[in-house]
């Protein structure tokens, strides 16, 4: 199996997070999506420090689907420059790995 990934992005509304996760699930680019309650973010944007409340969307996928997953996120994401970060899952339980493989294959 390709390397399992945790892919995350942030959005300003729960609705945006739900829309993105639904599309990616339907395309089988992810096996699972988790939406965290809003957090406070501070960052530079267009020469100013900005603060905002954002929802973190964490998705489970694998390396073989990353490029397409990223492309769909870039097309549908409401931000001009969305954060899209992937982290390899180097240690996961065998049962979870099997579930992930099965759901991404369907």
């Amino acid at each position: 199996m390709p390397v399992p990934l945790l892919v995350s992005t942030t959005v300003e509304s729960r609705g945006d997070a739900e829309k993105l996760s639904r599309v990616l699930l339907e395309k089988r680019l992810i096996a699972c999506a988790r939406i965290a309650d809003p957090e406070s973010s501070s960052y530079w944007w267009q020469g100013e420090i900005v603060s905002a409340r954002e929802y973190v969307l964490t998705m489970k996928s694998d390396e073989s689907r990353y490029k397409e997953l990223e492309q769909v996120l870039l097309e549908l994401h409401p931000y001009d420059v969305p954060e899209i970060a992937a982290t390899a899952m180097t240690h996961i339980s065998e049962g979870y790995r099997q579930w992930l493989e099965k759901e991404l294959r369907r």
Side-chain angles (χ1 to χ4, degrees):
M1 174 186 176
V3 175
L5 299 176
L6 286 176
V7 182
S8 66
T9 192
T10 56
V11 291
E12 71 183 0
S13 78
R14 183 170 199 82
D16 287 338
E18 290 170 353
K19 176 185 172 187
L20 290 172
S21 63
R22 183 70 183 199
V23 168
L24 294 166
L25 283 163
E26 288 173 351
K27 290 179 175 286
R28 292 282 179 180
L29 294 174
I30 62 173
C32 176
R34 184 176 41 200
I35 301 169
D37 288 336
E39 300 176 345
S40 182
S41 293
S42 296
Y43 49 91
W44 281 100
W45 181 246
Q46 298 180 343
E48 295 182 30
I49 296 175
V50 177
S51 294
R53 302 280 290 165
E54 294 182 301
Y55 289 82
V56 177
L57 174 59
T58 305
M59 301 154 280
K60 284 81 168 204
S61 189
D62 69 28
E63 217 171 27
S64 71
R65 289 166 176 76
Y66 179 79
K67 287 186 190 259
E68 188 177 354
L69 191 166
E70 179 184 53
Q71 187 59 44
V72 172
L73 282 173
L74 289 171
E75 289 171 9
L76 299 178
H77 205 289
Y79 290 0
D80 292 337
V81 183
E83 168 195 355
I84 304 171
T87 303
M89 289 191 275
T90 58
H91 298 83
I92 61 174
S93 66
E94 187 55 34
Y96 190 83
R97 176 185 292 275
Q98 289 173 8
W99 171 82
L100 183 65
E101 288 175 8
K102 182 178 117 191
E103 294 309 318
L104 290 172
R105 270 197 312 259
R106 287 186 184 207

